[in-house]
């Protein structure tokens, strides 16, 4: 099984090296919204006009603006007001990330289920990333959230390849090995292709490295710890890791052995933020 997985990973890497592996494009709605957000004439009203063309995204953005993430004193139902509350940059990053949800679908049940699992995991990592960023750092929560939503983007072309070559991959264990071996490299390539900021581009490439080195806390650290929090109770390799000395945890200042009540409070926040993404 290991040899098969390594062989498939090598085939995908070869296709990538020869530009034969098609990298996904950022959804058109996200492109329009990012372009508008970068305009010198952008306003909450002008951005709302672009977001409003997609009712689903508009509803999600309003829901996020009303979520406990912002502890607002009053509820709003107007998209322009929601963008004013969140800010143009935050709104644009949220919509960019959320617009990718439709990319995580496939025609075969095996691949489609896997893609939906990846998206679910991405929203959970994004929720933790937002909380960690706000509580422990001075970095931008919108960038941290976007980093969480895109940290596994490299899985997309791999699963597209698998769907076209479904006679080669028939079990989850083989697929897991293929994905784990090459999705970080592909993820970085995709985000560069989308012209994302450099500090977000490096996240897929390094978020699994518990000993990631940096002079100051960065988005890799945030997503690394967020990923650990998501999987700490289900992944044996993570739970057995000596995380108390991990460099990412130290730079953030997160104590994995914190008081149970404090951790429960963070988990409550996580559930509230996660629900805002759906």
């Amino acid at each position: 099984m290991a040899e098969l997985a390594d062989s498939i990973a090598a085939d995908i890497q070869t296709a990538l090296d020869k530009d034969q592996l098609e990298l996904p494009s950022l959804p058109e709605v996200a492109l329009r919204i990012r372009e508008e957000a970068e305009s010198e004439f952008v306003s909450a009203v002008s951005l709302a006009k672009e977001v409003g063309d997609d009712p689903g995204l508009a509803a999600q953005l309003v829901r996020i603006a009303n979520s406990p993430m912002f502890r607002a004193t009053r509820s709003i139902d107007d998209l322009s007001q929601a963008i004013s509350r969140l800010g143009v940059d935050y709104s644009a990053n949220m919509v960019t990330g959320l617009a990718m949800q439709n990319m995580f679908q496939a025609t075969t049940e095996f691949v489609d289920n896997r893609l939906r699992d990846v998206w679910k995991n991405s929203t959970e990592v994004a929720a933790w990333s937002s909380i960690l960023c706000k509580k422990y750092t001075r970095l931008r929560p919108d960038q941290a959230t976007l980093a969480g939503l895109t940290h596994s983007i490299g899985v997309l072309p791999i699963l597209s390849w698998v769907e076209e070559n479904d006679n080669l991959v028939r079990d989850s264990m083989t697929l897991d090995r293929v994905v784990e071996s090459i999705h970080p490299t592909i993820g970085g390539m995709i985000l560069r292709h989308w012209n994302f900021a450099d500090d977000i581009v490096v996240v897929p490439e390094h978020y699994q490295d518990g000993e990631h080195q940096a002079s100051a806390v960065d988005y890799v650290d945030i997503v690394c710890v967020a990923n650990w929090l998501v999987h700490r109770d289900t992944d044996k390799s993570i739970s057995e890791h000596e995380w108390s000395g991990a460099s990412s945890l130290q730079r953030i200042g997160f104590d994995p052995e914190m008081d149970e009540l404090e951790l429960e409070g963070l988990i409550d926040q996580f559930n509230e933020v996660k629900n805002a993404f759906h």
Side-chain angles (χ1 to χ4, degrees):
M1 184 180 298
E3 291 181 0
L4 174 60
D6 291 344
S7 175
I8 294 170
D11 288 345
I12 296 175
Q13 185 65 54
T14 299
L16 184 64
D17 294 340
K18 294 182 178 181
D19 291 327
Q20 296 173 345
L21 188 69
E22 184 176 356
L23 298 180
S25 298
L26 196 62
E28 184 179 347
V29 61
L31 287 171
R32 293 200 315 269
I33 289 165
R34 290 176 71 84
E35 182 178 358
E36 179 61 30
E38 293 170 0
S39 168
E40 62 178 308
F41 304 109
V42 67
S43 66
V45 174
S46 67
L47 192 63
K49 183 177 180 181
E50 295 293 341
V51 177
D53 286 342
D54 189 311
L57 287 177
Q60 283 181 293
L61 202 58
V62 170
R63 188 157 58 247
I64 289 172
N66 285 317
S67 74
M69 295 166 65
F70 297 92
R71 308 296 175 189
T73 56
R74 65 182 183 87
S75 177
I76 56 178
D77 56 15
D78 179 77
L79 181 57
S80 294
Q81 291 179 352
I83 293 173
S84 294
R85 176 177 290 177
L86 299 174
V88 165
D89 289 339
Y90 196 111
S91 299
N93 277 336
M94 286 301 94
V95 171
T96 297
L98 294 170
M100 295 189 305
Q101 181 173 3
N102 289 335
M103 300 171 67
F104 287 79
Q105 298 178 12
T107 55
T108 61
E109 184 177 4
F110 176 62
V111 174
D112 189 61
N113 288 338
R114 183 57 183 263
L115 281 171
R116 292 179 187 276
D117 287 343
V118 171
W119 177 250
K120 177 178 179 292
N121 175 75
S122 296
T123 60
E124 291 176 352
V125 171
W128 271 121
S129 295
S130 174
I131 291 167
L132 292 171
C133 187
K134 280 188 173 183
K135 183 173 178 61
Y136 295 102
T137 82
R138 295 184 178 181
L139 296 173
R140 291 173 50 183
D142 59 316
Q143 290 283 71
T145 307
L146 184 60
L149 287 172
T150 58
H151 79 283
S152 292
I153 195 68
V155 176
L156 279 177
I158 297 173
L159 293 184
S160 294
W161 187 94
V162 167
E163 191 168 35
E164 294 175 1
N165 299 271
D166 59 353
N167 60 309
L168 297 178
V169 183
R170 297 182 179 275
D171 65 272
S172 294
M173 291 184 65
T174 299
L175 181 57
D176 286 343
R177 188 178 178 95
V178 171
V179 167
E180 289 304 311
S181 65
I182 58 176
H183 93 269
T185 299
I186 298 176
M189 292 183 65
I190 292 172
L191 297 188
R192 286 188 183 91
H193 179 61
W194 290 353
N195 295 317
F196 275 35
D198 290 342
D199 52 1
I200 302 297
V201 167
V202 297
V203 172
E205 299 169 333
H206 299 291
Y207 80 93
Q208 293 177 307
D209 180 8
E211 298 306 318
H212 163 68
Q213 298 300 313
S215 58
V217 63
D218 58 15
Y219 297 111
V220 174
D221 291 325
I222 291 173
V223 173
C224 179
V225 176
N227 187 62
W228 172 74
L229 284 165
V230 169
H231 296 289
R232 69 193 186 284
D233 294 328
T234 57
D235 189 324
K236 187 176 181 181
S237 65
I238 290 177
S239 62
E240 291 182 350
H241 194 287
E242 182 48 63
W243 273 88
S244 60
S247 57
S248 290
L249 281 172
Q250 292 177 340
R251 277 190 295 274
I252 289 178
F254 182 89
D255 180 8
E257 298 180 358
M258 68 174 62
D259 178 80
E260 190 67 28
L261 285 176
E262 183 179 359
L263 180 58
E264 287 180 3
L266 290 177
I267 292 173
D268 287 342
Q269 291 181 44
F270 161 74
N271 288 325
E272 291 172 344
V273 175
K274 180 183 67 172
N275 291 337
F277 290 140
H278 298 285

